[in-house]
Amino acid sequence: MESSELYHVKQQFFLGAYKTLIDLTLPDPNSPDYIPTLLYQARAHIASDDPNSALALIPEDNENVAVKAVGALAKYVAATTDEDKDAALESLRDLLVEIEGDDSDGSEKDKALVRVLAGTAFARAGEIEEALDALGSQTEDLEAVAVLVHIYLSINRPDLAKREFERAKHWAEDDLLLQLIECNIGLVTGKDAYANPQSFYTEQLGNPSLSSPHILTARGVTRILRNEFQAARSDIEEAMQQNAGDAEALAAYTVAASLAPQQKGEADELFARLQAEHPNHPLVADLAAKASIFDEFAAKFDVPPVAAAA
């Protein structure tokens, strides 16, 4: 059974309170909470797009499979060449083989985390089938289910995401992560006019011990979907004040501005900033792809001559 301190650390991670975790003092290395807390803190660095700090945190001589896996994920995110990315993915493949053996150094929770981290890396690399195989279609690890749901939603298969969620409800406790999974599905499907995500994010933001620009951005996105643009801008502005470099908050703010005709100039400036600061963001990549398709078809279109007056 995990300690109350570790339970709080886990909740902070799931709610995106990454700065809180990064600033946390690690427990004594002899404490049973040391490795789990180290893993959450390293993952918080990776989620904050700072994989090098995660690598600096990880002990090089630790043979725990989960520690090695989080190091491999950090190396993948930090990699700037295809060769380095492939090497990191290969390390995760080796770890997946290792945890199937009887002599691997790690608990069942550690092994489950290896699958989650490997699935995350494969999904980021666009290796969807490999990610699904790593996570396991019949997994009873709730983090693995959360990643499976995210993958299914990203490939426009909300039906499969719902199936995973319904399956998890039979064996998982009604905890925070299960509620988050339901919220993610609700944001994509628009069920009940986004009422569930709206109430969940509002409830979490009422927690005085939580400071999460991620949840603020999530509520802002929910409010955009509900056509509550002024309230959405307020949430996202606050999120950007808490974390000025957050790509998701900037993208959401760009969308909110673009939906207001009188703010087109501001929206253009925000998108230019998003392109400059986060050139690989999905919104930037998607618009670039659509612009390329438009240019391709426009080049094939012959404008007919203007008819002469009779």
Side-chain angles (χ1 to χ4, degrees), residues 25 36 45 58 70 78 131 137 143 167 175 178 197 214 226 232 245 249 256 282 298:
T25 300
H45 279 296
I58 298 168
V70 81
S137 60
E143 273 207 73
R167 187 179 65 83
D175 71 357
L178 195 63
H214 174 80
R226 289 165 60 91

Side-chain angles (χ1 to χ4, degrees), residues 41-51 54 70-71 73-74 77 117 124:
Q41 194 171 78
R43 294 170 72 189
H45 279 296
I46 296 170
S48 300
D49 200 25
D50 187 12
V70 81
L73 176 60
V77 175
L117 296 169
R124 288 182 66 131

Side-chain angles (χ1 to χ4, degrees), residues 36-74:
T37 306
L38 172 73
L39 290 168
Y40 281 121
Q41 194 171 78
R43 294 170 72 189
H45 279 296
I46 296 170
S48 300
D49 200 25
D50 187 12
N52 290 320
S53 291
L55 290 169
L57 187 67
I58 298 168
E60 293 184 4
D61 58 347
N62 194 294
E63 291 301 312
N64 180 282
V65 287
V67 174
K68 290 194 285 187
V70 81
L73 176 60

Side-chain angles (χ1 to χ4, degrees), residues 39 41 96 162 170 252 261 272 280-281:
L39 290 168
Q41 194 171 78
L96 288 172
K162 289 179 188 177
H170 291 297
N280 297 320
H281 189 276

